[in-house]
Amino acid sequence: MKINPFMIAVPAALLLLKGGSVIYNASRLNFYVAKLVPRLQGITPVIDIYIGVQNPTNGTFTIQSAAGKVYVNENYLGDLSSFSLTSVKPNAQTFFVCTLRMSLVGLASEVYNAISEGLSTVTFNLKFNGTVNVNYVPVPVALGYRII
């Protein structure tokens, strides 16, 4: 049986168009930090970060996972992750929880800097750089959050 090149090219083009459509629409989602809840997990300090997701499109999205690195004032603080499914309905907003597992060295460094500079003058600028898996497509996300 001879394979017609269109038998491969047409499905591949349709798959690329569908992937491009998902990437375009997923890039229109608005992510923001809604709330921080610190706690201990054994002896490891963790922060549950509630991420708000606003969907201004007519499509429903499913967030499969999120993972990345968190920095405070440009210093590595820890790893952020979430692996629970979250449905984002059309023209709505929802929240999903990510867990930040802090590096004890990074945390100690920030505490030392805060004490040495004087607590009244310190601001903490949290930055997240990572990937959110939306409808099986990895979408790069960068978030910022200022404390104090």
Side-chain angles (χ1 to χ4, degrees):
M1 179 177 145
K2 185 175 179 182
I3 296 178
N4 185 337
F6 289 106
M7 292 173 66
I8 296 172
V10 170
L14 290 173
L15 192 60
L16 283 173
L17 285 174
K18 175 67 174 168
S21 158
V22 169
I23 290 171
Y24 171 74
N25 285 324
S27 70
R28 295 178 63 199
L29 295 175
N30 181 36
F31 295 89
Y32 65 95
V33 176
K35 180 169 68 168
L36 304 175
V37 179
R39 63 183 173 89
L40 286 175
Q41 191 173 52
I43 63 166
T44 304
V46 299
I47 298 176
D48 291 329
I49 301 176
Y50 289 74
I51 306 288
V53 185
Q54 296 171 330
N55 180 4
T57 73
N58 291 327
T60 298
F61 294 94
T62 300
I63 297 174
Q64 282 85 17
S65 62
K69 307 275 184 210
V70 175
Y71 299 87
V72 173
N73 300 335
E74 306 300 325
N75 297 316
Y76 172 74
L77 182 64
D79 296 309
L80 183 112
S81 62
S82 175
F83 297 100
S84 57
L85 294 176
T86 303
S87 179
V88 186
K89 304 264 186 256
N91 299 304
Q93 105 178 340
T94 191
F95 301 92
F96 70 101
V97 181
C98 293
T99 301
L100 168 60
R101 284 174 179 60
M102 291 186 270
S103 155
L104 292 176
V105 173
L107 181 60
S109 171
E110 284 308 311
V111 169
Y112 174 79
N113 289 341
I115 292 170
S116 65
E117 293 175 14
L119 292 175
S120 63
T121 62
V122 174
T123 60
F124 297 101
N125 294 307
L126 290 171
K127 290 184 183 175
F128 166 73
N129 290 318
T131 302
V132 177
N133 189 342
V134 179
N135 289 6
Y136 303 104
V137 175
V139 177
V141 174
L143 294 174
Y145 189 77
R146 185 177 174 161
I147 302 173
I148 300 179

